[in-house]
Amino acid sequence: MRRLVKRLQGLLALAIAGLESVSVRWLAVVTALNIYSQLWRTYASVVDLDLNNFKPYPRSVGGDLLIAIVSAMSYTGLALQLLLLPILAAQVALAVARQPQAPFQLNHAITSVSLLLVSMFATIANHSGIIDITAVPLVADIFLVVWKVCALASAACAFLVLPAYVVATMRQNRRQRRRPAPRPETALDYSDSEPDMVYPWFLLLLPAIAASSCAGDLTMVLQPRDASDVLIYSFVLWGAAIAPALVFTISYIHYQVTRYSQLPPDSRASPLDVIFPSVSVSQLALSIMSLGIQSRRVWADTVGPSTAPLLLGELAMAAGAILGLMLWASSAAWLINAHVLVIHKYRRWQSRREEEQSSVAFVPSIAALCLVPRQTRSAVAGCWQQVNSLAACHAVYPLASFALATAYVASIWDSSIALHLTQLMLAYVTVLMVLALVRALYAVTQWIAAAAANILGCRRSTRSTLLQSPLSHAI
């Protein structure tokens, strides 16, 4: 009987430790799975291009294996989303109940809200082309209600972000005046610290852009009247978000360029820091092109204002194509510059390593047996370090967003160069996705092994031991 009670206590401790190990960062896995599936479907549509009847998610293109893999990833993302929402809500409720007077963490709150809303929009956009709405018409109504609620929250964030940023900056400056001035040698210290206050507010603008991007896919499963209303709201969201998004993106890029160029070669800064700013511009380009395509379909017979008595859908299509092309070019330019910065930092790291150490980083013994040159082994080890630091689900979203925008450019402008670039980005995102999922699965396996050892009594481990496992730091 005592043994059974101990087993039950162990299971209860395991369940509590598992719930506490779940982090809001796991929503990035949901976003990565959905946007990667959406990228494959959009690419399949571009290969079978038909501009007069553009369908983002054709069911007849692609092999059976690819369709099965993409569908499995999509439903896995949906199941994970439905599983994480009550767990995260329970964590918030328990945290408030345990520490009602705990200080409010602004950066964590902004990051959590942004990840939650972006993951919801990614799920809606992806599954709007998977689920058969004719068989289950209630799903379209559920998607519409969820989109309206999340879009309302995103609009509040977009309209209030600039005043809130000004107030928060003034409060921070007031606190810094009360502190002693830093020493001259540390005044310009760009160490491995967190980015300044631009970063969280930059994240707060992403949901409004993602909402307008998601609307283009959602209108495919709605009635014409509902689709027209969603398009109008989406254009308003896009217009409200573009100005502050560009301002914060430029400020964040300036900060990251200054910081990344002055970091020591052996710093732990991730390449994601300089690649992530492209997500806002890529999503802006993707959303305006998607809205233009769907506007031509929904407003095909709608006449514009009296000052321009033309078909409103054709005007929206033309404006979306031109604006989307310009924003896509801006995103492409920054992605190229970001990779140049990453390569520059890697070369500095390699030079520093060759100067200070006579031995090279760990390489497989097969390379040593094959007499691989030392410089080649060092280069492979350095490239692996950079790729491993980038192989997180957070990196999939900006790169997949740019790939999606490139696919839309290829479809609208009938560009073979953009189509080949889409294939290149698809292969790039696939490599990162595989590495990120391997890391996540390895962390989950390690956590399960530690939990099984705890239950079976193979060793004495407490709940804190499970909380310190790689599961909470995998993403």
Side-chain angles (χ1 to χ4, degrees):
M1 187 65 182
R2 292 181 179 179
R3 185 175 299 178
L4 179 59
V5 172
K6 289 183 178 180
R7 290 289 178 87
L8 292 177
Q9 291 178 351
L11 290 175
L12 181 60
L14 173 63
I16 296 175
L19 293 178
E20 294 181 356
S21 299
V22 174
S23 172
V24 70
R25 292 177 296 177
W26 279 86
L27 289 173
V29 181
V30 178
T31 305
L33 290 173
N34 283 291
I35 197 170
Y36 183 70
S37 303
Q38 184 182 1
L39 175 59
W40 268 110
R41 295 177 183 277
T42 306
Y43 170 72
S45 177
V46 173
V47 173
D48 190 23
L49 192 58
D50 185 5
L51 293 180
N52 295 323
N53 187 19
F54 186 83
K55 297 180 180 180
Y57 307 116
R59 299 179 181 274
S60 59
V61 178
D64 296 336
L65 180 60
L66 178 61
I67 294 176
I69 293 175
V70 172
S71 300
M73 295 181 64
S74 300
Y75 287 114
T76 301
L78 179 61
L80 188 59
Q81 176 89 53
L82 297 177
L83 180 63
L84 286 176
L85 288 179
I87 294 177
L88 295 176
Q91 285 183 352
V92 173
L94 289 175
V96 173
R98 290 176 180 177
Q99 299 178 351
Q101 303 298 330
F104 180 71
Q105 298 180 357
L106 180 63
N107 290 7
H108 179 71
I110 291 177
T111 304
S112 302
V113 171
S114 176
L115 285 175
L116 176 61
L117 292 176
V118 169
S119 64
M120 294 295 294
F121 290 129
T123 302
I124 294 175
N126 182 34
H127 288 272
S128 295
I130 296 177
I131 300 176
D132 190 1
I133 304 299
T134 58
V136 190
L138 182 61
V139 175
D141 298 332
I142 295 175
F143 283 172
L144 180 60
V145 172
V146 174
W147 184 89
K148 286 183 177 180
V149 174
C150 296
L152 183 61
S154 304
C157 296
F159 281 105
L160 298 177
V161 61
L162 285 178
Y165 172 72
V166 172
V167 172
T169 305
M170 293 175 62
R171 293 183 60 184
Q172 186 189 38
N173 294 336
R174 193 180 302 115
R175 288 194 300 266
Q176 289 180 351
R177 293 193 198 101
R178 301 173 183 174
R179 300 175 182 175
R183 293 180 298 176
E185 61 270 16
T186 60
L188 296 177
D189 182 18
Y190 290 93
S191 59
D192 294 336
S193 58
E194 292 295 328
D196 62 356
M197 288 192 64
V198 175
Y199 177 71
W201 302 102
F202 169 76
L203 288 179
L204 203 57
L205 289 165
L206 290 182
I209 306 173
S212 58
S213 176
C214 170
D217 303 303
L218 181 61
T219 53
M220 296 291 296
V221 298
L222 298 178
Q223 298 296 327
R225 178 61 182 175
D226 294 334
S228 179
D229 295 339
V230 168
L231 287 176
I232 294 174
Y233 298 152
S234 301
F235 277 113
V236 172
L237 280 175
W238 189 88
I242 182 172
L246 293 179
V247 169
F248 280 105
T249 301
I250 294 173
S251 301
Y252 187 67
I253 287 176
H254 175 265
Y255 173 81
Q256 288 296 345
V257 169
T258 306
R259 172 178 176 265
Y260 210 80
S261 60
Q262 297 186 17
L263 281 174
D266 55 349
S267 64
R268 294 173 297 175
S270 172
L272 178 62
D273 295 337
V274 291
I275 292 177
F276 193 77
S278 65
V279 65
S280 59
V281 185
S282 299
Q283 282 288 323
L284 283 171
L286 173 63
S287 60
I288 194 62
M289 288 188 288
S290 176
L291 291 176
I293 292 173
Q294 300 306 323
S295 297
R296 186 176 65 173
R297 181 182 63 85
V298 176
W299 296 334
D301 300 329
T302 304
V303 180
S306 57
T307 55
L310 301 175
L311 292 180
L312 190 59
E314 297 297 333
L315 291 175
M317 178 64 189
I322 296 174
L323 290 175
L325 183 62
M326 293 189 295
L327 291 171
W328 171 83
S330 301
S331 180
W334 171 245
L335 272 181
I336 295 174
N337 293 327
H339 284 79
V340 169
L341 286 176
V342 172
I343 296 174
H344 172 68
K345 182 177 180 297
Y346 159 68
R347 291 179 64 88
R348 290 177 60 202
W349 173 84
Q350 187 180 16
S351 300
R352 177 78 171 270
R353 189 176 183 85
E354 291 178 354
E355 292 176 359
E356 295 183 352
Q357 297 180 359
S358 58
S359 61
V360 296
F362 173 78
V363 292
S365 57
I366 298 178
L369 293 175
C370 295
L371 300 179
V372 178
R374 188 181 61 142
Q375 294 182 353
T376 303
R377 285 184 286 168
S378 178
V380 170
C383 292
W384 173 253
Q385 182 187 22
Q386 295 294 321
V387 172
N388 188 43
S389 62
L390 185 61
C393 288
H394 295 282
V396 175
Y397 186 62
L399 294 174
S401 299
F402 176 74
L404 277 171
T406 307
Y408 271 78
V409 169
S411 65
I412 293 175
W413 296 96
D414 197 12
S415 172
S416 59
I417 298 178
L419 180 59
H420 294 314
L421 183 57
T422 304
Q423 296 171 350
L424 178 62
M425 291 301 302
L426 185 59
Y428 187 11
V429 175
T430 301
V431 172
L432 294 178
M433 192 71 185
V434 170
L435 291 176
L437 292 179
V438 167
R439 288 179 59 185
L441 291 176
Y442 174 75
V444 172
T445 304
Q446 293 292 104
W447 190 89
I448 292 176
N454 182 29
I455 294 177
L456 297 176
C458 297
R459 63 183 181 184
R460 294 183 178 180
S461 59
T462 59
R463 198 175 91 188
S464 59
T465 305
L466 294 176
L467 291 176
Q468 295 174 359
S469 63
L471 178 61
S472 57
H473 307 285
I475 305 305

